[in-house]
Amino acid sequence: MAEKRDYYEVLGIQKGASEDEIKKAYKKLARKYHPDMNPGDKEAEEKFKEVNEANEVLSDPEKKARYDQFGFAGVDPNYGAGAGGGAYGGGFDFGDLGDIFGSFFGGGFGGGQRRNPNAPQRGESIRASVSVSFTEAAFGCEKSVTLERSEQCPTCKGNGCAPGTTPEICPDCHGTGTVQTRRQTPMGVFASNGPCRKCGGTGRLIHQPCPDCRGTGAVRKRKTIKVNIPAGIDHGQTISLRGQGNAGRNGGPAGDLLITVMVQPHELFRRDGVDVFCEAPITFAQAVLGAELEIPTIDGKVKYSIPEGTQTGTVFRLKGKGIPVLNGRGRGDQYVTVTIETPRNLNKEQKEALRRFSETLGESNYEKRKSFFKKKRGPSMYIADYHIHSTCSPDGKMTMSQAAEAALRAGLDEICITDHVDTIFWGNNAPRDSFDWASLRAQYREALEKYGDKLSIKLGAELGEAYLGYDRAEILLNDAEKLDFCIGSVHTCSEKYDCLDLYFLEEGKSSDYYRAVIEDYLDCVLAISRWGRFNVLGHLTLPLRYMKEHLGLDWSFAPWMDRVEEIFSVIIPQGIGIECNTNRGNRPLPDADILRLYRQMGGEVITLGSDAHETKDVGCVIRERQQLLRDCGFKYFTTFTGGKPEFRKL
């Protein structure tokens, strides 16, 4: 039998890896060794089979548990894994069937053979539970568990005989524990196997039992065992302590101690996987004016500034303040839901002051009131389009006011205008060190005045081609008043391709040429990702749009998933998100496979945008793409105020 590699070694992960870590490792290796990516490569084909075999076992909780306990013998029949589960403690083995059928048919099924009663037998496992606090579960601790278990008798060393004596092999069954009886019936002579009556099926006779264990070979003892509770363990999970259960028989190993961890609820926090959730009550004044809050975390209090106009239900993320990953690296996040506490027991003067203040406000100061009587729209109660271009962009065909009007017709709650702010002039690729922010602000103010009481309108920018001059990109951003949001995008290739706009990809080129263009594009995306002066990465798979529309090439990014993973490893630690670009109803940019990869790698910040340049596309298929995000495992999408993310439930 060929030597098999450990399944954890095959996938390049540690024993105890989480489900997500197993999935991530499998996907990466499956892509690497897939036959389609390695045509004719026999070694890659074998690697692919090996990776699939490892994933089949480790992705199945039951198989994984058997493998962790018994190795290959627990999952592979070639190594002794029983088909009925008898080899690893579940069900019964063929010896049992042989006893049953042998009593009727003369031992014909399985030969009527019983397991050797004097063979070493593993002891029974013991189950116990231990209670820990929320914080102890998060960071790990040491607990003591007191239990009663059977241990090998120290007097007789487990043989059940008094000191100085030994057991006798049963003369009737010759140590097998079974005897055969034959009886005459009208149908002939039938033979059956049954336990030996003389020795009780043990195969041994003890004439002088041990005075301490009375011949059993084991004694009951009360034992206190220290248990290391690993950081990140969750309620209901079980820790296995090998060899701490009941004593084995005939020199067999002791069973295991299985400890179920019971995590006590916390007065402030609740947990979902490795993420922590809590609520932060704030005053009306803090919500209106903004404030610096002290937010409790499992590490202690941290400071967080909320912006002006914060609404109740707004969710903020504290990155890396969640639960440590069990037997892994990294931590989850903490999500804080803001609730505005209404003051009680106001005196007369306070009530009068509040009335005077209220009279100075108009409907434009309230966002939820203006949409209260809107038609109910289904499960996604908040709809936002965060990629819209006005006539302040060279290719925009609508004013900001027209975009706002279109958003209202589409039933949106919020839009963000994200006009092109590029480091080069379109057409001649001339360097650009300034932008007409005054015109953009004028249009924005006009849209707010007309529609600000009916729709939340945010101001952002789409910063393109920053990799062609980071100094000029810095000037463009510094000249602007504070924006709510900024998209980092790449629309052209590098200077290696004369800054070719992807929109103008030529027909008739070779596949190698188009692949090289994508490689160059990804180099540019990685470069701006490392620069990082933006909130989300826009339309990551943009070349696919123009290759499909203009060249008829229906490609995917599957050959470049390693490059995509590298980009995500750069932006996620910076808190930079990605955009789910609806592509105006066509194939989303990026597609589901890349969205799932981003989620699996810990990415949470994600916006939805139509990339609309004219009114008919505003809000296009946003609701459908919200469902796509839910299908990919996302719980929230993101909007922004003053450059800070706000998490909206999907």
Side-chain angles (χ1 to χ4, degrees):
M1 186 184 304
E3 187 69 22
K4 291 168 72 78
R5 286 205 298 154
D6 176 70
Y7 288 146
Y8 291 100
E9 180 186 343
V10 171
L11 296 184
I13 56 179
Q14 297 294 321
K15 188 175 181 180
S18 66
E19 183 178 344
D20 284 346
E21 290 173 321
I22 294 170
K23 287 182 180 178
K24 179 183 174 183
Y26 167 68
K27 284 190 172 183
K28 182 177 181 179
L29 294 172
R31 288 196 301 268
K32 181 178 180 180
Y33 296 118
H34 197 282
D36 291 346
M37 304 295 292
N38 304 274
D41 190 336
K42 294 295 183 183
E43 184 178 352
E45 185 178 344
E46 291 302 316
K47 291 279 190 183
F48 184 71
K49 292 178 181 178
E50 187 180 41
V51 167
N52 276 288
E53 181 183 335
N55 180 66
E56 182 185 357
V57 172
L58 299 184
S59 63
D60 185 313
E62 184 178 344
K63 291 181 180 178
K64 181 175 179 291
R66 297 202 302 263
Y67 178 73
D68 288 346
Q69 186 172 5
F70 300 103
F72 296 118
V75 294
D76 190 339
N78 295 322
Y79 284 78
Y88 36 82
F92 51 87
D93 61 19
F94 287 111
D96 298 319
L97 290 173
D99 293 339
I100 295 170
F101 284 87
S103 65
F104 295 100
F105 303 107
F109 191 92
Q113 298 298 314
R114 285 174 55 90
R115 186 180 299 165
N116 183 357
N118 296 312
Q121 298 178 28
R122 186 182 181 86
E124 295 180 350
S125 294
I126 301 173
R127 290 191 173 273
S129 64
V130 63
S131 179
V132 299
S133 70
F134 190 95
T135 306
E136 287 175 330
F139 296 113
C141 62
E142 185 179 83
K143 291 287 184 178
S144 296
V145 177
T146 301
L147 49 89
E148 281 196 358
R149 67 181 183 185
S150 65
E151 298 184 359
Q152 185 185 79
C153 177
T155 303
C156 66
K157 303 296 189 287
N159 66 11
C161 298
T165 66
T166 58
E168 177 191 353
I169 300 296
C170 178
D172 289 8
C173 67
H174 305 290
T176 65
T178 62
V179 293
Q180 188 179 80
T181 58
R182 304 172 68 87
R183 53 195 176 108
Q184 184 71 43
T185 73
M187 299 178 64
V189 178
F190 278 80
S192 64
N193 292 327
C196 175
R197 293 184 178 181
K198 189 174 185 68
C199 65
T202 65
R204 306 183 306 166
L205 297 175
I206 298 176
H207 298 292
Q208 298 182 43
C210 172
D212 292 339
C213 67
R214 299 180 182 180
T216 64
V219 293
R220 301 291 294 180
K221 286 191 176 181
R222 192 172 182 85
K223 190 80 172 180
T224 298
I225 298 173
K226 290 185 177 181
V227 183
N228 288 318
I229 309 297
I233 199 163
D234 207 350
H235 181 79
Q237 291 183 321
T238 299
I239 300 170
S240 178
L241 299 182
R242 183 70 62 89
Q244 296 294 332
N246 288 320
R249 298 181 61 187
N250 305 324
D256 299 335
L257 174 59
L258 306 176
I259 300 176
T260 301
V261 178
M262 312 300 289
V263 183
Q264 300 302 310
H266 196 278
E267 60 180 354
L268 294 178
F269 306 124
R270 64 179 179 85
R271 175 176 176 177
D272 185 0
V274 294
D275 293 329
V276 173
F277 297 80
C278 73
E279 291 185 351
I282 63 174
T283 67
F284 175 73
Q286 288 174 321
V288 172
L289 303 175
E292 185 176 78
L293 306 178
E294 283 195 341
I295 305 295
T297 73
I298 59 177
D299 298 302
K301 292 184 178 181
V302 298
K303 292 183 178 180
Y304 189 90
S305 297
I306 59 171
E308 297 180 8
T310 295
Q311 303 295 312
T312 193
T314 297
V315 181
F316 299 107
R317 179 179 70 164
L318 302 177
K319 191 171 179 61
K321 293 298 181 182
I323 305 294
V325 177
L326 181 64
N327 298 323
R329 297 181 178 179
R331 293 176 61 171
D333 302 324
Q334 179 171 327
Y335 292 90
V336 183
T337 302
V338 173
T339 60
I340 300 174
E341 185 174 4
T342 303
R344 298 181 178 182
N345 304 317
L346 299 182
N347 59 37
K348 184 177 180 181
E349 289 78 12
Q350 291 168 330
K351 290 179 181 179
E352 185 59 34
L354 189 58
R355 287 191 189 96
R356 291 195 301 270
F357 169 73
S358 181
E359 290 170 357
T360 65
L361 300 177
E363 288 296 319
S364 63
N365 295 102
Y366 296 97
E367 291 187 9
K368 290 189 176 181
R369 282 168 60 96
K370 64 192 178 190
S371 60
F372 181 75
F373 294 102
K374 282 185 179 180
K375 184 179 179 181
K376 188 175 179 181
R377 295 187 294 262
S380 296
M381 300 304 295
Y382 201 87
I383 315 295
D385 188 340
Y386 257 59
H387 196 153
I388 295 174
H389 295 279
S390 77
T391 51
C392 292
S393 294
D395 55 351
K397 300 178 181 178
M398 60 184 167
T399 65
M400 293 187 191
S401 293
Q402 291 170 332
E405 187 177 356
L408 288 170
R409 289 197 301 269
L412 304 189
D413 297 292
E414 184 171 330
I415 61 173
C416 187
I417 308 296
T418 53
D419 281 306
H420 291 291
V421 180
D422 295 318
T423 58
I424 59 175
F425 282 109
W426 290 30
N428 61 9
N429 291 346
R432 185 176 194 171
D433 292 330
S434 62
F435 181 80
D436 189 2
W437 292 108
S439 296
L440 182 140
R441 285 283 178 185
Q443 276 211 37
Y444 180 62
R445 285 193 295 271
E446 180 185 350
L448 280 178
E449 290 172 3
K450 288 184 177 180
Y451 302 104
D453 61 337
K454 304 178 182 68
L455 178 74
S456 177
I457 308 174
K458 301 291 179 63
L459 185 62
E462 183 176 12
L463 186 68
E465 290 72 65
Y467 60 93
L468 295 175
Y470 294 119
D471 54 341
R472 297 196 298 274
E474 297 280 356
I475 292 172
L476 292 174
L477 288 178
N478 292 336
D479 285 348
E481 297 179 35
K482 187 166 184 177
L483 300 172
D484 290 303
F485 177 64
C486 185
I487 302 174
S489 295
V490 173
H491 300 99
T492 69
C493 295
S494 69
E495 294 172 335
K496 176 181 176 183
Y497 288 86
D498 299 320
C499 302
L500 171 69
D501 192 320
L502 295 169
Y503 185 89
F504 298 106
L505 278 173
E506 298 180 52
E507 294 184 81
K509 297 285 189 178
S510 68
S511 295
D512 287 342
Y513 173 83
Y514 296 129
R515 279 193 287 268
V517 167
I518 291 178
E519 290 281 352
D520 187 78
Y521 166 81
L522 289 171
D523 287 342
C524 297
V525 172
L526 183 59
I528 69 164
S529 297
R530 288 170 174 158
W531 178 61
R533 284 230 26 212
F534 54 91
N535 300 117
V536 303
L537 188 62
H539 42 56
L540 175 58
T541 55
L542 180 65
L544 301 183
R545 171 191 289 172
Y546 302 126
M547 292 174 67
K548 176 68 173 178
E549 293 178 359
H550 300 168
L551 308 178
L553 299 175
D554 193 13
W555 284 18
S556 79
F557 259 40
W560 297 280
M561 290 298 279
D562 288 345
R563 298 294 308 279
V564 172
E565 192 169 328
E566 183 180 8
I567 291 167
F568 288 166
S569 69
V570 172
I571 64 172
I572 291 174
Q574 298 181 73
I576 296 173
I578 63 171
E579 173 193 55
C580 178
N581 190 295
T582 70
N583 198 14
R584 299 185 283 273
N586 299 309
R587 179 180 185 177
L589 307 172
D591 59 18
D593 288 341
I594 294 178
L595 293 172
R596 291 192 184 97
L597 175 63
Y598 175 70
R599 179 73 183 90
Q600 290 165 6
M601 291 182 65
E604 301 252 343
V605 177
I606 188 163
T607 59
L608 296 115
S610 65
D611 207 351
H613 288 67
E614 50 188 312
T615 55
K616 68 180 181 64
D617 293 323
V618 174
C620 182
V621 300
I622 293 289
R623 294 174 179 81
E624 290 82 351
R625 297 297 180 254
Q626 284 186 320
Q627 182 59 51
L628 172 64
L629 294 185
R630 286 192 286 268
D631 294 341
C632 291
F634 290 91
K635 299 176 182 178
Y636 302 93
F637 73 98
T638 319
T639 58
F640 283 80
T641 299
K644 289 194 173 186
E646 299 173 341
F647 292 85
R648 308 272 185 183
K649 194 168 182 64
L650 283 163

